[in-house]
Amino acid sequence: MLPPRIVRRLVLAPLVIVMTVFMVVTLPLWLVVAAAAALRLPPPQRRSARFVWFAVVWLTLESAVLVACAWLWVAGGARRQEHHYALIKWFLEKVYTTAVHIFQLRVDIEEPDPVEREGGPAKPIIVLSRHAGPGDSFLLIHHLLERYGRQPRIVMKAALQYDPSLDVVINRLPNAFVPRKSGQTLVIEEIRRLAATMSGSDALVIFPEGGNFTPRRRQKAITRLEEKGLRAEAERARGMDHLLPPRPNGAIAAIEACPSADVVFVAHTGLDDLVTLHDIWRYLPIRAHITAKWWRVPAASVPRDREERIRWLYDHWERIDEWITAQRMAARPG
């Protein structure tokens, strides 16, 4: 059960700063321990020191964000959204730069021109993204802020509020945290609420699959569609090798609440099989490479009928699945 906000502010937030100071002071010891642990692993998996460095940088950045948030609260700027979006942008840029240096991360994105067409006013966008691999949400939000100059909105699991900096910053912006067992009704209501108030600089981010892909989840999702009598959707889901079938209600609710928004579909691959911390620890490659592709659909081209929208969503999901297959085949040696 998530502790009350006052406990999170008075206990968890200071604890992060204490942990940061402790890690920095004892860093030489941690590096020695990491080196000793690496000797027990084959050479490709000797990455312990890199994880130690990344953890120290992450904690330092988290502490800096918490200090900045405290200063904004004292200075009366806790309600200034632009300051907090700038803080998120700074944090994600530093995390991204660190990942590039420590894990030799490379991200290649093929995307539509971010400049609005015909010189008209900027329009809100609804981003429908594949959900897979470590840090996909961070990379997506970083790109929306850095490249597109957007102010992202997202519905997240309430448990993420255990992260103090995320808890403080996100709760000061138009986002939503939902309890794990709240059901789809609350999620849809929050998506509709966030979409209805978007302006031209905003982007609502949705992951229609509802979770990371695994073969077991894929089969369960197909079975669930069959039990609901949605045989056409179940058959189309069987044809997708890399994705869970999309849950259409969230995307449709967002489109209905903000019909002027363009829709952006996001595909990515490269670290798909690294889902758990154990996967990341054991199998993260020496050089991490992520490829991504974005498709932008103008609001006028989005179908109006609900059933047509569901078929349209599956069309794009199949397109993403085919793109992932092509990327994996191209990446195979020889």
Side-chain angles (χ1 to χ4, degrees), residues 14-24 26 59 63:
L15 182 61
V16 168
I17 297 175
V18 171
M19 288 177 59
T20 302
V21 174
F22 174 76
M23 285 290 291
V24 171
T26 60
L59 283 170
S63 296

Side-chain angles (χ1 to χ4, degrees), residues 101-277:
H101 285 91
I102 294 179
F103 299 114
Q104 300 185 45
L105 174 66
R106 181 162 62 93
V107 180
D108 295 322
I109 302 178
E110 181 183 347
E111 58 190 321
D113 188 348
V115 179
E116 300 296 332
R117 297 178 181 177
E118 301 177 357
K123 298 197 301 183
I125 58 174
I126 297 168
V127 181
L128 304 179
S129 176
R130 181 200 186 193
H131 200 345
D136 57 351
S137 302
F138 287 100
L139 287 171
L140 177 55
I141 299 303
H142 168 261
H143 200 68
L144 286 169
L145 285 162
E146 182 68 27
R147 170 96 170 136
Y148 278 70
R150 294 287 179 163
Q151 297 179 346
R153 301 178 174 203
I154 188 169
V155 177
M156 291 166 279
K157 297 177 181 178
L160 290 174
Q161 293 172 103
Y162 277 108
D163 183 319
S165 65
L166 188 68
D167 182 19
V168 175
V169 176
I170 297 303
N171 273 310
R172 292 182 182 179
L173 294 170
N175 298 285
F177 287 103
V178 293
R180 182 180 180 182
K181 297 182 179 181
S182 59
Q184 282 295 301
T185 301
L186 178 58
V187 174
I188 300 305
E189 289 176 356
E190 293 290 7
I191 288 174
R192 186 175 287 110
R193 176 180 66 83
L194 294 175
T197 56
M198 286 202 297
S199 67
S201 61
D202 295 321
L204 177 62
V205 179
I206 301 174
F207 299 94
E209 292 166 288
N212 289 321
F213 174 91
T214 65
R216 182 171 177 270
R217 286 180 177 175
R218 174 179 177 271
Q219 186 54 52
K220 286 182 64 176
I222 293 172
T223 301
R224 186 166 55 247
L225 290 171
E226 290 175 333
E227 291 174 348
K228 292 181 178 179
L230 302 174
R231 300 195 178 278
E233 287 85 349
E235 188 62 29
R236 297 185 74 173
R238 284 194 193 91
M240 293 185 284
D241 298 321
H242 313 293
L243 303 175
L244 301 178
R247 301 178 181 182
N249 290 338
I252 291 175
I255 293 169
E256 289 175 345
C258 189
S260 63
D262 289 352
V263 178
V264 174
F265 289 90
V266 177
H268 61 86
T269 187
L271 300 179
D272 317 46
D273 298 328
L274 307 184
V275 177
T276 66
L277 289 176

Side-chain angles (χ1 to χ4, degrees), residues 13 16-17 59-80 82-91 164-165 168-169 172:
V16 168
I17 297 175
L59 283 170
T60 302
L61 292 172
E62 287 249 3
S63 296
V65 169
L66 288 170
V67 171
C69 286
W71 182 86
L72 286 171
W73 180 73
V74 171
R79 296 183 181 274
R80 298 290 296 274
E82 66 273 18
H83 293 335
H84 292 84
Y85 277 118
L87 195 56
I88 295 174
K89 182 179 179 180
W90 173 83
F91 175 83
S165 65
V168 175
V169 176
R172 292 182 182 179

